[in-house]
Protein backbone atom coordinates (compact mmCIF):
# COMPACT_ATOMS: atom_id res chain seq x y z
CA UNK A 1 0.00 0.00 0.00
CA UNK A 2 2.79 2.40 0.91
CA UNK A 3 4.67 1.71 -2.32
CA UNK A 4 1.54 2.07 -4.44
CA UNK A 5 0.74 5.40 -2.77
CA UNK A 6 4.31 6.61 -3.14
CA UNK A 7 4.35 5.66 -6.81
CA UNK A 8 1.19 7.72 -7.37
CA UNK A 9 2.78 10.69 -5.61
CA UNK A 10 5.82 10.45 -7.84
CA UNK A 11 3.93 10.06 -11.10
CA UNK A 12 4.18 13.79 -11.85
CA UNK A 13 7.96 13.55 -11.38
CA UNK A 14 8.34 10.55 -13.63
CA UNK A 15 9.03 10.72 -17.33
CA UNK A 16 9.99 7.99 -19.75
CA UNK A 17 12.79 8.67 -22.20
CA UNK A 18 12.81 6.54 -25.32
CA UNK A 19 16.48 5.87 -25.99
CA UNK A 20 16.50 2.74 -28.14
CA UNK A 21 15.07 2.26 -31.64
CA UNK A 22 13.31 -0.87 -30.43
CA UNK A 23 11.12 1.25 -28.19
CA UNK A 24 12.63 0.23 -24.86
CA UNK A 25 11.69 2.75 -22.22
CA UNK A 26 13.98 3.77 -19.39
CA UNK A 27 12.31 5.42 -16.38
CA UNK A 28 13.96 8.50 -14.90
CA UNK A 29 12.70 9.78 -11.56
CA UNK A 30 13.36 13.33 -10.48
CA UNK A 31 13.35 13.95 -6.74
CA UNK A 32 13.25 17.45 -5.33
CA UNK A 33 15.13 18.61 -2.27
CA UNK A 34 11.80 19.38 -0.60
CA UNK A 35 10.66 15.77 -0.95
CA UNK A 36 13.92 14.44 0.47
CA UNK A 37 13.76 16.93 3.33
CA UNK A 38 10.20 15.92 4.23
CA UNK A 39 10.89 12.19 4.43
CA UNK A 40 14.26 12.76 6.06
CA UNK A 41 12.43 13.93 9.16
CA UNK A 42 10.20 10.85 9.35
CA UNK A 43 11.26 8.39 12.04
CA UNK A 44 9.83 5.52 9.98
CA UNK A 45 12.14 6.15 7.03
CA UNK A 46 14.09 2.94 7.68
CA UNK A 47 10.82 1.01 7.39
CA UNK A 48 10.01 2.75 4.11
CA UNK A 49 13.47 1.91 2.79
CA UNK A 50 13.04 -1.70 3.87
CA UNK A 51 9.65 -2.02 2.17
CA UNK A 52 10.99 -0.44 -0.99
CA UNK A 53 13.75 -3.02 -1.28
CA UNK A 54 11.30 -5.80 -0.42
CA UNK A 55 9.29 -4.77 -3.49
CA UNK A 56 12.44 -4.91 -5.61
CA UNK A 57 13.23 -8.37 -4.24
CA UNK A 58 9.68 -9.56 -4.88
CA UNK A 59 9.87 -8.36 -8.47
CA UNK A 60 13.13 -10.24 -9.09
CA UNK A 61 11.80 -13.39 -7.45
CA UNK A 62 8.63 -13.48 -9.54
CA UNK A 63 10.50 -12.47 -12.70
CA UNK A 64 12.86 -15.42 -12.36
CA UNK A 65 9.96 -17.83 -11.86
CA UNK A 66 7.89 -16.40 -14.71
CA UNK A 67 10.64 -16.07 -17.30
CA UNK A 68 13.08 -18.85 -16.43
CA UNK A 69 11.34 -22.18 -15.89
CA UNK A 70 10.13 -21.58 -12.35
CA UNK A 71 13.63 -21.14 -10.91
CA UNK A 72 14.03 -18.93 -7.82
CA UNK A 73 17.31 -17.05 -8.20
CA UNK A 74 17.12 -14.98 -5.01
CA UNK A 75 18.72 -17.60 -2.76
CA UNK A 76 21.10 -20.55 -2.92
CA UNK A 77 19.10 -23.44 -1.44
CA UNK A 78 17.61 -24.57 -4.73
CA UNK A 79 20.78 -23.82 -6.66
CA UNK A 80 22.97 -25.88 -4.31
CA UNK A 81 20.53 -28.79 -4.43
CA UNK A 82 20.52 -28.73 -8.22
CA UNK A 83 24.31 -28.45 -8.21
CA UNK A 84 24.52 -31.57 -6.06
CA UNK A 85 22.03 -33.49 -8.20
CA UNK A 86 23.75 -32.47 -11.44
CA UNK A 87 27.11 -33.59 -10.07
CA UNK A 88 25.72 -36.96 -8.95
CA UNK A 89 24.12 -37.48 -12.36
CA UNK A 90 27.41 -36.73 -14.06
CA UNK A 91 26.02 -33.68 -15.88
CA UNK A 92 29.18 -31.61 -15.86
CA UNK A 93 27.79 -28.67 -17.88
CA UNK A 94 24.79 -28.20 -15.59
CA UNK A 95 27.00 -28.54 -12.53
CA UNK A 96 29.32 -25.82 -13.86
CA UNK A 97 26.38 -23.49 -14.50
CA UNK A 98 25.13 -23.94 -10.94
CA UNK A 99 28.67 -23.55 -9.63
CA UNK A 100 28.92 -20.27 -11.53
CA UNK A 101 25.71 -19.07 -9.86
CA UNK A 102 27.18 -19.98 -6.46
CA UNK A 103 30.42 -18.13 -7.22
CA UNK A 104 28.47 -15.02 -8.24
CA UNK A 105 26.38 -15.17 -5.08
CA UNK A 106 29.43 -15.56 -2.85
CA UNK A 107 31.27 -12.81 -4.74
CA UNK A 108 28.37 -10.41 -4.33
CA UNK A 109 28.21 -11.16 -0.62
CA UNK A 110 31.94 -10.61 -0.16
CA UNK A 111 31.90 -7.35 -2.11
CA UNK A 112 29.57 -5.82 0.47
CA UNK A 113 32.49 -6.07 2.90
CA UNK A 114 35.45 -5.51 0.56
CA UNK A 115 34.18 -2.46 -1.35
CA UNK A 116 33.42 -0.33 1.73
CA UNK A 117 36.70 -1.37 3.34
CA UNK A 118 39.05 -0.76 0.42
CA UNK A 119 37.20 1.76 -1.76
CA UNK A 120 34.94 3.41 0.86
CA UNK A 121 31.84 2.77 -1.24
CA UNK A 122 28.47 3.31 0.43
CA UNK A 123 26.79 -0.02 -0.32
CA UNK A 124 23.40 1.33 0.69
CA UNK A 125 23.58 3.71 -2.26
CA UNK A 126 25.27 1.17 -4.51
CA UNK A 127 22.63 -1.57 -4.07
CA UNK A 128 19.78 0.09 -5.99
CA UNK A 129 22.21 1.00 -8.76
CA UNK A 130 23.32 -2.64 -8.98
CA UNK A 131 19.67 -3.73 -8.98
CA UNK A 132 18.89 -1.35 -11.84
CA UNK A 133 21.94 -2.53 -13.79
CA UNK A 134 20.82 -6.14 -13.33
CA UNK A 135 17.41 -5.21 -14.75
CA UNK A 136 19.04 -3.67 -17.80
CA UNK A 137 21.14 -6.77 -18.42
CA UNK A 138 18.13 -9.08 -18.02
CA UNK A 139 16.29 -7.25 -20.79
CA UNK A 140 18.95 -8.15 -23.33
CA UNK A 141 19.15 -11.87 -22.50
CA UNK A 142 17.08 -13.83 -25.07
CA UNK A 143 14.05 -15.72 -23.81
CA UNK A 144 15.48 -18.96 -25.21
CA UNK A 145 18.78 -18.64 -23.30
CA UNK A 146 19.80 -21.22 -20.70
CA UNK A 147 17.65 -20.55 -17.63
CA UNK A 148 20.45 -20.66 -15.05
CA UNK A 149 22.84 -18.56 -17.13
CA UNK A 150 20.09 -16.02 -17.79
CA UNK A 151 19.55 -15.59 -14.05
CA UNK A 152 23.16 -14.76 -13.19
CA UNK A 153 22.37 -11.02 -12.85
CA UNK A 154 19.69 -11.79 -10.25
CA UNK A 155 21.93 -14.17 -8.30
CA UNK A 156 24.52 -11.40 -8.03
CA UNK A 157 22.19 -8.46 -7.37
CA UNK A 158 20.17 -10.27 -4.71
CA UNK A 159 23.26 -11.43 -2.85
CA UNK A 160 24.46 -7.83 -2.66
CA UNK A 161 21.04 -6.55 -1.55
CA UNK A 162 20.55 -9.22 1.13
CA UNK A 163 24.03 -8.69 2.56
CA UNK A 164 23.69 -4.89 2.61
CA UNK A 165 20.25 -4.64 4.21
CA UNK A 166 19.28 -6.98 7.02
CA UNK A 167 16.10 -5.36 8.31
CA UNK A 168 14.70 -2.23 9.93
CA UNK A 169 13.26 -0.89 13.19
CA UNK A 170 15.25 -3.42 15.19
CA UNK A 171 13.91 -6.46 13.31
CA UNK A 172 16.06 -8.78 11.21
CA UNK A 173 14.27 -9.34 7.93
CA UNK A 174 15.12 -10.40 4.40
CA UNK A 175 13.99 -8.37 1.39
CA UNK A 176 14.63 -11.15 -1.12
CA UNK A 177 12.60 -14.14 0.17
CA UNK A 178 9.68 -14.76 2.51
CA UNK A 179 10.27 -17.89 4.60
CA UNK A 180 11.66 -16.26 7.73
CA UNK A 181 9.34 -13.26 7.42
CA UNK A 182 6.36 -15.62 7.41
CA UNK A 183 7.79 -17.53 10.38
CA UNK A 184 8.44 -14.38 12.42
CA UNK A 185 4.98 -12.97 11.70
CA UNK A 186 3.39 -16.27 12.78
CA UNK A 187 5.42 -16.52 15.98
CA UNK A 188 4.76 -12.90 16.92
CA UNK A 189 1.03 -13.33 16.33
CA UNK A 190 0.98 -16.44 18.54
CA UNK A 191 2.85 -14.54 21.27
CA UNK A 192 0.43 -11.62 20.95
CA UNK A 193 -2.49 -14.02 21.44
CA UNK A 194 -0.91 -15.48 24.59
CA UNK A 195 -0.04 -12.27 26.44
CA UNK A 196 -1.47 -9.36 24.44
CA UNK A 197 1.75 -7.34 24.63
CA UNK A 198 1.76 -4.53 22.05
CA UNK A 199 5.40 -5.22 21.27
CA UNK A 200 4.33 -8.45 19.60
CA UNK A 201 1.71 -6.62 17.56
CA UNK A 202 4.36 -4.19 16.32
CA UNK A 203 6.45 -7.16 15.23
CA UNK A 204 3.48 -8.75 13.45
CA UNK A 205 2.81 -5.47 11.66
CA UNK A 206 6.40 -5.14 10.52
CA UNK A 207 6.65 -8.63 9.05
CA UNK A 208 3.19 -8.52 7.47
CA UNK A 209 4.05 -5.20 5.79
CA UNK A 210 7.28 -6.74 4.54
CA UNK A 211 5.39 -9.67 3.05
CA UNK A 212 2.86 -7.34 1.44
CA UNK A 213 5.60 -5.18 -0.08
CA UNK A 214 7.44 -8.24 -1.37
CA UNK A 215 4.34 -9.60 -3.04
CA UNK A 216 3.40 -6.17 -4.35
CA UNK A 217 6.69 -6.32 -6.25
CA UNK A 218 5.84 -9.84 -7.41
CA UNK A 219 2.46 -8.63 -8.69
CA UNK A 220 4.11 -5.78 -10.58
CA UNK A 221 6.49 -8.34 -12.11
CA UNK A 222 3.58 -10.52 -13.22
CA UNK A 223 1.97 -7.72 -15.22
CA UNK A 224 5.31 -6.44 -16.54
CA UNK A 225 6.25 -9.89 -17.87
CA UNK A 226 2.76 -10.42 -19.20
CA UNK A 227 2.97 -7.19 -21.21
CA UNK A 228 6.64 -7.16 -22.22
CA UNK A 229 8.08 -10.63 -21.69
CA UNK A 230 11.71 -10.73 -20.56
CA UNK A 231 11.98 -6.98 -21.22
CA UNK A 232 9.51 -6.41 -18.42
CA UNK A 233 12.55 -6.21 -16.13
CA UNK A 234 12.75 -2.52 -17.08
CA UNK A 235 9.77 -1.87 -14.80
CA UNK A 236 11.80 -2.89 -11.76
CA UNK A 237 14.09 0.08 -12.38
CA UNK A 238 11.21 2.25 -11.15
CA UNK A 239 11.09 0.28 -7.88
CA UNK A 240 14.89 0.47 -7.60
CA UNK A 241 14.70 4.25 -8.10
CA UNK A 242 12.17 4.51 -5.26
CA UNK A 243 14.50 2.42 -3.07
CA UNK A 244 17.43 4.71 -3.95
CA UNK A 245 15.33 7.69 -2.97
CA UNK A 246 14.52 6.07 0.38
CA UNK A 247 18.22 5.45 1.03
CA UNK A 248 18.96 9.13 0.38
CA UNK A 249 16.23 10.13 2.82
CA UNK A 250 17.43 7.65 5.44
CA UNK A 251 21.02 8.84 5.15
CA UNK A 252 19.89 12.43 5.67
CA UNK A 253 17.70 11.40 8.61
CA UNK A 254 20.68 9.67 10.25
CA UNK A 255 22.88 12.70 9.60
CA UNK A 256 20.33 15.06 11.18
CA UNK A 257 19.89 12.70 14.12
CA UNK A 258 23.64 12.58 14.71
Amino acid sequence: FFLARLTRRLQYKLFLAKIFPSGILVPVVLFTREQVSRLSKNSNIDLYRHLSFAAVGGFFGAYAILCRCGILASAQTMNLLELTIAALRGDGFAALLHLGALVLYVTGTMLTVLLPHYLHIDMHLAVPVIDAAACAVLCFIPAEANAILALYPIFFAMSVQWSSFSGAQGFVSSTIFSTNNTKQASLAFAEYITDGARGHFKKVRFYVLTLLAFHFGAAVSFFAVRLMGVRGAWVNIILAAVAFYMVLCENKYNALKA
Side-chain angles (χ1 to χ4, degrees), residues 102-135:
L102 173 62
V103 170
L104 273 177
Y105 205 91
V106 171
T107 300
T109 301
M110 293 178 63
L111 285 176
T112 62
V113 176
L114 298 176
L115 291 180
H117 181 77
Y118 290 107
L119 300 179
H120 307 292
I121 292 176
D122 184 343
M123 292 306 299
H124 285 188
L125 290 174
V127 169
V129 176
I130 292 172
D131 286 342
C135 292

Side-chain angles (χ1 to χ4, degrees), residues 45-203:
I45 186 59
D46 63 330
L47 173 62
Y48 300 158
R49 178 263 303 159
H50 175 74
L51 297 179
S52 299
F53 278 106
V56 173
F59 187 104
F60 274 129
Y63 178 90
I65 291 172
L66 291 167
C67 294
R68 303 299 174 185
C69 305
I71 298 173
L72 180 64
S74 299
Q76 280 298 298
T77 303
M78 184 175 180
N79 183 60
L80 288 173
L81 287 171
E82 291 186 335
L83 170 60
T84 302
I85 293 170
L88 292 173
R89 286 176 175 170
D91 189 342
F93 179 70
L96 284 175
L97 287 176
H98 288 291
L99 181 61
L102 173 62
V103 170
L104 273 177
Y105 205 91
V106 171
T107 300
T109 301
M110 293 178 63
L111 285 176
T112 62
V113 176
L114 298 176
L115 291 180
H117 181 77
Y118 290 107
L119 300 179
H120 307 292
I121 292 176
D122 184 343
M123 292 306 299
H124 285 188
L125 290 174
V127 169
V129 176
I130 292 172
D131 286 342
C135 292
V137 173
L138 288 170
C139 291
F140 293 101
I141 300 176
E144 63 274 12
N146 178 276
I148 298 299
L149 194 62
L151 292 174
Y152 274 15
I154 297 181
F155 279 115
F156 180 76
M158 291 296 90
S159 70
V160 175
Q161 181 172 311
W162 173 220
S163 299
S164 299
F165 296 101
S166 57
Q169 299 198 330
F171 300 113
V172 176
S173 173
S174 170
T175 58
I176 66 172
F177 41 78
S178 296
T179 303
N180 188 61
N181 292 329
T182 303
K183 170 190 171 184
Q184 294 300 328
S186 303
L187 290 174
F189 185 58
E191 290 168 345
Y192 177 72
I193 292 174
T194 59
D195 59 25
R198 290 196 59 81
H200 298 318
F201 182 77
K202 180 181 178 182
K203 186 176 181 180

Side-chain angles (χ1 to χ4, degrees), residues 2-7 9-10 29 31 35-42 44-56 122 124-125 128 165 238-254:
F2 163 75
L3 289 170
R5 186 173 63 180
L6 179 62
T7 301
R9 287 181 180 177
L10 294 176
V29 182
F31 302 115
Q35 290 171 323
V36 174
S37 177
R38 191 180 305 116
L39 271 176
S40 297
K41 298 174 183 177
N42 192 315
N44 289 319
I45 186 59
D46 63 330
L47 173 62
Y48 300 158
R49 178 263 303 159
H50 175 74
L51 297 179
S52 299
F53 278 106
V56 173
D122 184 343
H124 285 188
L125 290 174
F165 296 101
I238 299 174
L239 300 181
V242 172
F244 183 81
Y245 173 54
M246 291 301 154
V247 172
L248 289 177
C249 294
E250 185 181 19
N251 285 351
K252 187 170 182 179
Y253 174 83
N254 291 333

